[in-house]
Amino acid sequence: EPEVTQTPSHQVTQMGQEVILRCVPISNHLYFYWYRQILGQKVEFLVSFYNNEISEKSEIFDDQFSVERPDGSNFTLKIRSTKLEDSAMYFCASSERDTQYFGPGTRLTVL
Amino acid sequence: AQSVTQPDIHITVSEGASLELRCNYSYGATPYLFWYVQSPGQGLQLLLKYFSGDTLVQGIKGFEAEFKRSQSSFNLRKPSVHWSDAAEYFCAVGAYQAGTALIFGKGTTLSVSS
């Protein structure tokens, strides 16, 4: 069964550094998403992406964040200058239409 | 405001006993409802979903959920719990439209005792 994959599984970075989280969505899916879950809190929507454009974004998704589909298979989330409060589990998801399928997540730790 | 409430943070059930996890939602449009499960170190796995039709929906791993519009609820049930069901369960609501955000509840952690 096709799955969403994410790399790395765990990333540790210093405050102020840039990080790129990578995702490979399910191959025939057209819609891509990023969510995050701060420890002990809800899973929160960050952004959705379709046809090389952002479809929807939350207030969390500020200028520090960007998304890109650099090639036909990868979907990335970049955080330009990480803050301590960016420490969270980041989930990528993809959908063919309305049902979203999630990857295993990348745990980001900002020191 | 759009939200999902899962009133139970942690539930412990004996193996073989029945299970019900509660979920209430507030959503401005016709809701599209989901239950996801997260095992330790794993991603969010889709258990089942509901948009329309029969209000009792069947999912994977023997789970079912019932949509009750009058109560704005979408409770998850399983008649007989297995030790492998121990995990965190998330209820989510969204629009029946691709590319839109899902709103999640805080999750319910299920422990299974022998």
Side-chain angles (χ1 to χ4, degrees), chain A residues 21-87:
Chain A
L21 309 183
R22 290 181 169 79
C23 168
V24 178
I26 295 172
S27 62
N28 64 330
H29 286 187
L30 302 176
Y31 298 86
F32 315 117
Y33 312 79
W34 284 102
Y35 291 79
R36 78 173 184 190
Q37 183 183 29
I38 295 171
L39 190 63
Q41 298 188 24
K42 295 183 181 187
V43 176
E44 302 172 290
F45 170 77
L46 294 177
V47 67
S48 62
F49 191 84
Y50 170 73
N51 199 25
N52 283 320
E53 289 185 349
I54 290 174
S55 301
E56 183 178 336
K57 63 180 181 178
S58 71
E59 58 192 25
I60 302 168
F61 193 86
D62 60 22
D63 291 344
Q64 290 282 79
F65 293 91
S66 62
V67 288
E68 190 180 28
R69 186 148 165 86
D71 54 44
S73 58
N74 289 282
F75 179 54
T76 61
L77 174 69
K78 182 192 290 185
I79 309 175
R80 285 190 183 78
S81 177
T82 50
K83 306 170 191 167
L84 294 175
E85 54 265 36
D86 293 327
S87 293

